[in-house]
Amino acid sequence: MATLSSRLPSPPGFWALRDAKARFSERVRKVHSEGPQHVTLHGREEFIVVSADEYHRLPGGKTGRHLIDALQASPYRDLDISPERSAMLVRAASL
């Protein structure tokens, strides 16, 4: 049974995951000639393939500093979210 997403043609630069996997080398060539390539899964955009140069030009550090700053600026910063620990039984094992 064909799904709706498999019957409709994908817009340029959009590829179903199964097609992107089967033709990965072509995807990589198109990244360089046409720009980012979008990969869909079950009809939803899930991934974007970009060149390494494009990736390195993206804003934001790769250190996680932006995430740390965002978490520290949260109004819920003082919320205690420590997981509750329960005692676990330990069994003897013969080695």
Side-chain angles (χ1 to χ4, degrees):
M1 173 188 228
T3 63
L4 179 61
S5 62
S6 66
R7 288 184 270 153
L8 297 175
S10 297
F14 281 74
W15 295 83
L17 179 60
R18 67 181 175 280
D19 297 331
K21 287 184 348 184
R23 297 164 54 191
F24 186 71
S25 296
E26 182 182 348
R27 294 300 95 237
V28 171
R29 283 192 298 277
K30 285 194 179 267
V31 164
H32 289 290
S33 64
E34 299 176 11
Q37 299 293 301
H38 303 257
V39 179
T40 61
L41 182 61
H42 306 296
R44 291 187 331 256
E45 182 181 47
E46 290 289 329
F47 310 98
I48 300 177
V49 180
V50 297
S51 70
D53 289 339
E54 175 94 11
Y55 173 77
H56 291 298
R57 282 194 300 267
L58 292 173
K62 308 302 185 266
T63 64
R65 183 79 241 165
H66 293 290
L67 176 59
I68 292 168
D69 292 343
L71 291 172
Q72 289 179 338
S74 169
Y76 304 105
R77 180 179 173 175
D78 297 325
L79 185 65
D80 182 19
I81 57 171
S82 299
E84 291 184 20
R85 305 282 183 192
S86 58
M88 296 179 64
L89 299 175
V90 179
R91 295 188 307 189
S94 58
L95 300 174

